[in-house]
Amino acid sequence: MTHFLPSADPVATAARGLALAHPGLVEVHLDPLFLRARTAAPGRTVALVSGGGSGHEPLHTGLLGPGGLDAVCPGEVFASPHNRQIHAACSAVAREGGVLMIVKNYTGDVINFGIAAERLRHEGVRVATVLVDDDLATDGEDSATGRRGTAATVVLEKLLGARADRGAGLEELAGLGARIVARSRSLAVAARAQTSPSTGEPAFGLDAGTLEYGVGIHGERGTGTVERLPVERLVERMADDLLAALPEGGERVLALVNGLGATTGLELHAIGSLLYDVLSERGSEPLAVVPGTFTAALDMSGFSLTLTRMDPEWVGLWTAPSDTPLVLPARTLGADGAAGAVVRGAAAEPEPGDAGDPAGRAVLDRFAEAVTGLRDDLTALDQLVGDGDFGDNLLGGVRRAQALNGAADGGVEALSRAFLDEVGGTSGPLFGLLFQQLTAVSWPQEGTPDASGAAEAAAAGLAAVQRVGGAEVGDGTLVDALAPAARALGEAARDGSETPFTAAAEAAARGAADTADLTPRRGRASYVGERAVGVPDPGALGVALLFAALAQVYEPEAAAGLADLREIAAR
């Protein structure tokens, strides 16, 4: 891994970049370094100032502006700001009611903010401090330092910013901040350490199959390791630990799902959905579930959960408008909760008399067995030339077809429905078009299907795929296996061959193997051009698997001599 940070003054350079991105909202003071909001609500009488080590963005700087902070003091990466920075920032933004410092409970932060507070008091400025100590992992009686301050800082700064805009005084804000912190707990887990800016390597290693449980936002290791659980069980465990530690209070819970730097939005939103369900099952009504990267640990792969028991009067503070670089989704769930956010489609009922239709079931099951066996190989090939999803998409479609077949559809009909209606990506729907044409054939459980009809259906499937996808033979796609298979099937049917499906399967396998010698001109592999040479097309192999399944069901003796598709995939 590599950080794209300038070698000289990376923090100051990033601060300038933030100000350039938000002209009129943020300004940077370079000596000493701090950032300040250029506007504030007219009713504000107390300035809010925070800060800490860099590498946690958008923490602190993202909350600059009306409805948030007045000034922020960024230290070096994972290092406290100097008291000179803090003193200068507070002096620049102090109001008639004084300055409230929001300080995360780390030794360097506490000391430097404390020194700055003493200097300000000596100069006649009123100062109060709110200490954020929400990290459950460091909640031990044997530590004099106490809990660390982590992502609950975001909730605190939003709520205090809104209350400060309404004219609250210093003592009121300090008291409110202390209550918010007391009702907040956070817990973080990581699958990979952050990249060290100095070495370019992970800051610590992890054994395979384990997670660091209770990591800190400065890249500290967790308080222990746990088995790499399915995310559903992991979220349940973390939520239970947090709920057990939360003090009694408000009935509704604000839940923050925070990425630690390398966790995607897709993952965070999924975790938020799981967390909502766990909280609801435990009787804690979620006021809001807020996913996003708010308090990063550079590029650590992991996430934290923060729960805050909300007083009713805090709800209006959370939903109050703000004008800051970080736009928090400051909305709340209504009384109908998830039901008001999700609309479920009505499932179509099977037609009377359709249930349990066995037609083509043997084909479906044999195809499913083949795809299952080659899924990892298909995935590996697709990772070389595409995005790596083909193996999972093909297997997911086949499994969905098996579920449909058990409810209402014949095997090939189930494949058609599953791939046309429920498999995304590029190849999935194209396979659906092929299966749709193959439904015109009777695929008996016993006996042999009409080879001429099957050849016509395969040719019609090829034509449909080409009309939609535009690929021709030689473009390095599934067409390079489907076209020769359809042609061989047609020729064998006209010649009265006793093994037409084996002939088609052999042609499909040869076509799939030959794609390794092509420079792709269609499909995702075309984006990598000549780098795809040597890699057989995964979609073409999927077609070969289908025709091999047909041969193995209806011509098992002849099919025993078919080429091993795994060997083709391993080229």
Side-chain angles (χ1 to χ4, degrees):
M1 301 285 292
T2 301
H3 282 299
F4 296 101
L5 290 172
S7 56
D9 298 323
V11 176
T13 305
R16 179 171 176 264
L18 181 72
L20 289 170
H22 300 278
L25 179 61
V26 175
E27 69 178 30
V28 181
H29 189 280
L30 291 176
D31 188 20
L33 178 64
F34 64 87
L35 300 92
R36 63 179 293 178
R38 300 191 66 174
T39 60
R44 182 173 288 209
T45 63
V46 174
L48 304 183
V49 178
S50 191
S54 296
H56 307 309
E57 292 74 20
L59 182 64
H60 301 317
T61 53
L63 271 296
L64 271 169
L69 302 171
D70 292 276
V72 169
C73 309
E76 296 301 317
V77 173
F78 293 170
S80 165
H82 192 277
N83 79 83
R84 176 173 172 246
Q85 293 175 256
I86 302 165
H87 175 264
C90 292
S91 299
V93 299
R95 297 179 179 275
E96 62 271 23
V99 175
L100 180 69
M101 295 179 171
I102 298 172
V103 185
K104 300 189 302 301
N105 189 25
Y106 288 93
T107 301
D109 290 22
V110 170
I111 289 175
N112 279 285
F113 274 91
I115 293 173
E118 293 298 322
R119 294 176 64 177
L120 291 165
R121 292 189 184 102
H122 183 73
E123 295 165 1
V125 179
R126 298 180 63 209
V127 182
T129 298
V130 176
L131 188 67
V132 187
D133 60 350
D134 58 308
D135 180 29
L136 179 60
T138 48
D139 194 356
E141 295 181 358
D142 56 345
S143 172
T145 304
R147 295 185 298 267
R148 296 176 295 209
T150 60
T153 311
V154 176
V155 178
L156 178 72
E157 290 174 351
K158 175 66 173 74
L159 298 179
L160 289 183
R163 191 67 191 92
D165 281 356
R166 298 178 184 180
L170 187 62
E171 290 76 15
E172 179 185 348
L173 289 170
L176 173 60
R179 293 194 299 276
I180 294 168
V181 172
R183 292 192 181 183
S184 300
R185 292 291 184 275
S186 300
L187 188 61
V189 66
R192 178 181 56 76
Q194 79 283 1
T195 305
S196 167
S198 58
T199 68
E201 299 294 330
F204 58 81
L206 263 173
D207 293 335
T210 63
L211 298 170
E212 286 286 320
Y213 198 75
V215 293
I217 61 172
H218 294 95
E220 307 97 324
R221 296 200 72 140
T223 52
T225 59
V226 297
E227 176 188 358
R228 191 179 288 250
L229 303 170
V231 68
E232 295 85 353
R233 289 176 54 198
L234 180 62
V235 170
E236 186 174 19
R237 172 175 176 167
M238 295 172 71
D240 284 342
D241 287 349
L242 290 168
L243 288 171
L246 275 182
E248 295 297 323
E251 295 180 357
R252 305 196 74 183
V253 175
L254 177 68
L256 202 72
V257 181
N258 171 62
L260 295 178
T263 311
T264 65
L266 179 69
E267 294 167 292
L268 296 175
H269 281 87
I271 291 166
S273 177
L274 298 172
L275 179 60
Y276 175 89
D277 292 340
V278 173
L279 294 176
S280 299
E281 290 167 2
R282 304 297 192 267
S284 293
E285 182 183 358
L287 170 74
V289 179
V290 188
T293 297
F294 307 114
T295 307
L298 286 176
D299 63 345
M300 182 179 282
S301 178
F303 67 93
S304 66
L305 303 180
T306 298
L307 301 183
T308 301
R309 289 201 188 277
M310 298 285 284
D311 272 358
E313 59 267 27
W314 299 353
V315 177
L317 300 178
W318 179 255
T319 59
S322 60
D323 185 11
T324 58
L326 173 62
V327 180
L328 286 166
R331 297 183 175 88
T332 59
L333 290 163
D336 55 358
V342 179
V343 178
R344 301 189 185 276
E349 293 295 327
E351 292 293 328
D354 281 349
D357 178 2
R361 179 72 201 205
V363 174
L364 170 56
D365 288 343
R366 186 65 194 91
F367 185 46
E369 181 182 345
V371 172
T372 301
L374 213 63
R375 189 275 298 271
D376 291 345
D377 299 88
L378 295 172
T379 296
L381 291 175
D382 199 34
Q383 287 173 334
L384 293 172
V385 298
D387 55 10
D389 67 347
F390 179 74
D392 286 334
N393 276 356
L394 190 63
L395 182 58
V398 169
R399 287 176 173 170
R400 178 58 183 153
Q402 287 180 305
L404 286 172
N405 179 251
D409 291 312
V412 178
E413 173 68 27
L415 285 167
S416 172
R417 285 185 56 189
F419 276 80
L420 283 176
D421 291 347
E422 301 189 37
V423 180
T426 301
S427 299
L430 294 178
F431 270 88
L433 292 176
L434 173 59
F435 295 137
Q436 184 179 57
Q437 295 300 325
L438 292 177
T439 60
V441 181
S442 175
W443 301 100
Q445 297 299 99
E446 298 180 1
T448 305
D450 174 49
S452 296
E456 291 177 5
L462 171 63
V465 167
Q466 290 185 296
R467 283 194 299 271
V468 173
E472 299 291 339
V473 173
D475 284 348
T477 71
L478 64 84
V479 167
D480 287 287
L482 180 54
R487 183 172 59 252
L489 184 56
E491 291 173 353
R494 287 191 296 273
D495 293 343
S497 170
E498 295 182 356
T499 57
F501 295 105
T502 302
E506 290 174 343
R510 288 193 297 271
D514 289 346
T515 59
D517 300 325
L518 300 174
T519 300
R521 294 181 299 193
R522 292 276 184 176
R524 279 195 296 267
S526 65
Y527 302 144
V528 299
E530 292 186 358
R531 296 180 68 183
V533 174
V535 181
D537 180 69
L541 277 168
V543 170
L545 287 176
L546 172 63
F547 282 94
L550 291 171
Q552 289 159 357
V553 169
Y554 294 115
E555 301 161 6
E557 293 184 5
L562 286 174
D564 187 346
L565 295 177
R566 191 181 300 276
E567 290 184 1
I568 296 174
R571 284 187 55 173

